[in-house]
Amino acid sequence: MPKERGEKVVATNRRARHDYLIEDTYEAGIVLSGTEVKSLRQGRASLVDGYAFIDGGEAWLDAVHIPEYTEGTWNNHAPRRKRKLLLHKQQIVKISHKTKEGGYTLVPLQIYFSDGRAKVEIAVAKGKREHDKRQALRERQDRREAERAISTRGHLGE
């Protein structure tokens, strides 16, 4: 069987970029059981409530919902179990120092397959305040209106 090539995104956490200011991102492997991998290959996962944390020098991913594999038997996995993340020791130490500073948290941004291996992109992020969210929304709307005005002006000039 030929080895898979490229990236296939399974799930993204669109809410994370709205609720948090992203500082750094890291790519980590995930320790999964067989039925979890099969369920991910079907494109079924949810990062909505997920978060990551450092405990005892190891990185963990919690509250990420990977539903049970439909073809699985009695040995199916628990949908919201704690999963170990595979990171280099230096990365874990760096992330640990950053999160202990206060105000920072680890948020999963997306789960994907890279050359056939399941990966998760986690971010060291700081929570946005309500006025920051409104400001970002206002900037996005202003940019859209400007682009719309430019495109309609281009259509009128023809």
Side-chain angles (χ1 to χ4, degrees):
M1 191 164 117
K3 189 176 179 185
E4 289 184 34
R5 293 278 176 227
E7 275 190 17
K8 177 191 169 202
V9 176
V10 176
T12 57
N13 189 355
R14 297 176 63 205
R15 195 99 188 121
R17 296 197 188 273
H18 177 72
D19 291 342
Y20 297 96
L21 279 171
I22 307 299
E23 296 279 322
D24 293 326
T25 59
Y26 297 93
E27 179 184 68
I30 322 170
V31 177
L32 298 171
S33 68
T35 54
E36 287 175 318
V37 175
K38 290 181 178 191
S39 188
L40 283 178
R41 288 203 189 280
Q42 288 180 339
R44 302 172 66 215
S46 174
L47 296 172
V48 173
D49 298 328
Y51 64 95
F53 61 94
I54 308 292
D55 183 35
E58 295 180 333
W60 296 90
L61 185 65
D62 201 8
V64 171
H65 188 263
I66 300 175
E68 291 184 345
Y69 182 54
T70 54
E71 309 298 319
T73 58
W74 54 269
N75 61 354
N76 235 333
H77 65 277
R80 287 193 185 268
R81 72 177 186 87
K82 200 166 75 163
R83 296 168 180 92
K84 187 174 179 179
L85 295 178
L86 305 173
L87 288 164
H88 292 283
K89 198 65 162 178
Q90 299 89 349
Q91 290 175 325
I92 292 174
V93 169
K94 190 175 181 182
I95 291 170
S96 178
H97 288 307
K98 196 74 167 174
T99 55
K100 284 179 183 172
E101 281 181 16
Y104 288 99
T105 186
L106 284 173
V107 181
L109 296 179
Q110 66 179 1
I111 293 180
Y112 56 95
F113 284 99
S114 177
D115 293 336
R117 299 186 188 273
K119 304 282 185 183
V120 64
E121 183 180 17
I122 59 171
V124 177
K126 192 170 199 147
K128 282 186 184 177
R129 301 236 187 314
E130 195 63 36
H131 65 273
D132 292 336
K133 293 178 191 177
R134 282 194 292 264
Q135 183 67 29
L137 188 64
R138 192 173 303 120
E139 288 172 3
R140 198 175 319 129
Q141 286 175 341
D142 291 344
R143 198 173 352 165
R144 281 186 190 150
E145 287 177 14
E147 289 173 1
R148 196 173 295 128
I150 290 170
S151 71
T152 56
R153 186 169 179 104
H155 291 301
L156 294 176
E158 291 177 2

